Amino acid sequence: MVLNYSVIQQDKSCGARLGLLHTTHGTVETPIFMPVGTQAAVKTMTPEEVKEVGGRLILGNTYHLYLRPGQELIREAGGLHRFMNWDGPILTDSGGFQVFSLGPLRKISEEGVTFRSHIDGSEHFFSPEKAVEVQEALGSDIAMVFDECAPYPCTHEYALEALKRTTRWARRCADAHRREDQALFGIVQGGVFADLRRQSALDLVGLDLPGYAIGGLSVGEPKAVMYEMLDVTVGFLPPEKPRYLMGVGSPDCLVEGVVRGIDMFDCVLPTRIARNGTVLTHHGKLVVRNAEYARDFDPLDPTCDCYACRNYSRAYIRHLIKAGEVLGIRLTTIHNLRFIQRLMQEIRDAIRQGNILEYRDNFLKNYLQA
Amino acid sequence: MVLNYSVIQQDKSCGARLGLLHTTHGTVETPIFMPVGTQAAVKTMTPEEVKEVGGRLILGNTYHLYLRPGQELIREAGGLHRFMNWDGPILTDSGGFQVFSLGPLRKISEEGVTFRSHIDGSEHFFSPEKAVEVQEALGSDIAMVFDECAPYPCTHEYALEALKRTTRWARRCADAHRREDQALFGIVQGGVFADLRRQSALDLVGLDLPGYAIGGLSVGEPKAVMYEMLDVTVGFLPPEKPRYLMGVGSPDCLVEGVVRGIDMFDCVLPTRIARNGTVLTHHGKLVVRNAEYARDFDPLDPTCDCYACRNYSRAYIRHLIKAGEVLGIRLTTIHNLRFIQRLMQEIRDAIRQGNILEYRDNFLKNYLQA
């Protein structure tokens, strides 16, 4: 099998586990956070910078790359890795989430989804087969099935139809998938309904895919509901396969996800809030663009080892952001991704030392009370 | 003296010369091109990246830094070097050029200039003494006198008044200047009038300043006129002091300036056109954002050794720029500054080898015919 996952250590008192994920472009430790490189770049960063902050596996967005520059151009370039000069593993989503997020710009049928480009309004059609074709052209290490992500809130009936379609589409994706150097993951749907999450998981596990994602969460529901859905879903997923919680990346959710047995995460949050002048610390968020930091010559986070914190003050970074200087958002992005990668390292260390629940409690006490 | 300049080699057949400029923050070779860090950052770049492309002496803009974040904040931070984490030499302009460029937003008197901020419309007053005070707070290695830059075109009468005021203001700057670790350069004005350039140069040389700039050129006049003004001006400047041509940085002008005896240059052109998707090559400009490069997998310039050219294709960089990804303009900026720094290195090598005129002819043949 192209993708090999092994559990190194399973925590005794919760779902947390250490693992190794072997892909075509190398091996990574889990639990892992994947920086998002939507348009073939992690926003503002070079691949070397992504590695320096600890990024090992990055995500590319199929919807965006299909529209611009197009998967055939990337295939000609030698694939996404070569196009963007990233030699580590890449996971691509299927475009499902983006296409369903287009709202009135898309039309769903059993065959697939017709949608209009957010760039130029042109009409396009995505089907399970098309999503696989595009991801095979991109050449990611891990591809995702084309799923229907139900909105929150939605009825039990709607969520049921969406999960059943997601299962049918997952089968079509698996049938269409050819690349032997690329793994195809399933996506569990089912909204906020425990019985539907169970059904979706059991249906997909029947397809014997090399990994399973949990989709349709962190779309507006309370965090407690998300955690409950993780609790009911993870139990039906095979322990020997990696579990990926899609689109989740706030620090508290990462820790809570890990203790429930999640191995992989991605989210634009750390990089997006960075561009808005907000940075992450163990004591919560710090809005460095606020006036109170104008004459603050401390680093963003005195305990951080990132390039920004080693070399620059809050006052300087605030100045850059206020002045519209790109270097400002480069520095906050570096810091936020480094913060998240250090958090994941701390999480892995805590699992290794058998005290992940204690770590979780301490972390949340500091992070949420700030 | 805080600033020491020595001519290492004077070309026999033209004005070109090799020199060493010793400043409080280190020694640089001349002729030199100074990347512009208007708002305490060379746009899009870290100091390490500026050094990697060969930048050794950078420029900061007094007008911008005075308005935001303010010179007192930078003084509190330990000066501009420490604020922006640049340990090499810095030259600051006086704000004169920017203030005079504000047009209807400013009012000139013998005492100084009242102007409105381009940021928030607030009213400010700059005088020779104020320009010195601000630059002393910034702590640059080289400060510039507060000058009146006449527009192009303007009458002989107007240019005469402006140069006389510039000389009076230069004297006031010299009288006000206190920092012993900072050199103060004069600025020759006189528009496009040979007799006025001569008068301005002679007047300023009488002040015995440690270096002289030539201002008020590259403001719209034909290049032939600029070269003529250089020819008439340089002859009246002391050979043992550095000569700085302000705001000039197109590759052909750099070469032509050097053969006329210029030692220092600054310009936003290489970084500004980079952000617009245009890159410099020995065969002229290349607009990488054009459609013709969409599937061009060559580097920006196959002969270039910069980070962008070593790792990325034109197709990728074009994609990034079209998609609004910051990494795109980071790569074109790196390339353009590296191109200019390599050009300056080639120029210094040619002077050393005694063939600068031949180099000039070859360079211009390739660069301008493309």
Side-chain angles (χ1 to χ4, degrees), chain A residues 40 43 48 307 316 325 330, chain B residues 40 43 48 307 316 325:
Chain A
K43 285 200 189 302
E48 289 80 2
Y307 171 77
Y316 180 63
E325 287 287 342
R330 286 184 58 190
Chain B
K43 285 202 189 300
E48 290 80 2
Y307 171 77
Y316 180 63
E325 287 286 344

Side-chain angles (χ1 to χ4, degrees), chain A residues 196-218:
Chain A
L196 300 188
R197 287 283 168 184
R198 173 177 180 275
Q199 178 178 341
S200 180
L202 291 176
D203 287 354
L204 288 169
V205 169
L207 297 180
D208 194 27
L209 296 167
Y212 292 97
I214 302 177
L217 292 178
S218 198

Side-chain angles (χ1 to χ4, degrees), chain A residues 49-67:
Chain A
E49 288 165 349
V50 174
K51 281 185 195 165
E52 190 184 325
V53 298
R56 293 292 175 268
L57 164 53
I58 64 173
L59 185 140
N61 285 114
T62 292
Y63 165 80
H64 292 85
L65 296 172
Y66 158 81
L67 287 179

Side-chain angles (χ1 to χ4, degrees), chain A residues 289-300:
Chain A
R289 63 175 297 141
N290 282 353
E292 64 186 294
Y293 301 110
R295 297 183 124 80
D296 186 333
F297 299 109
D298 282 338
L300 293 176

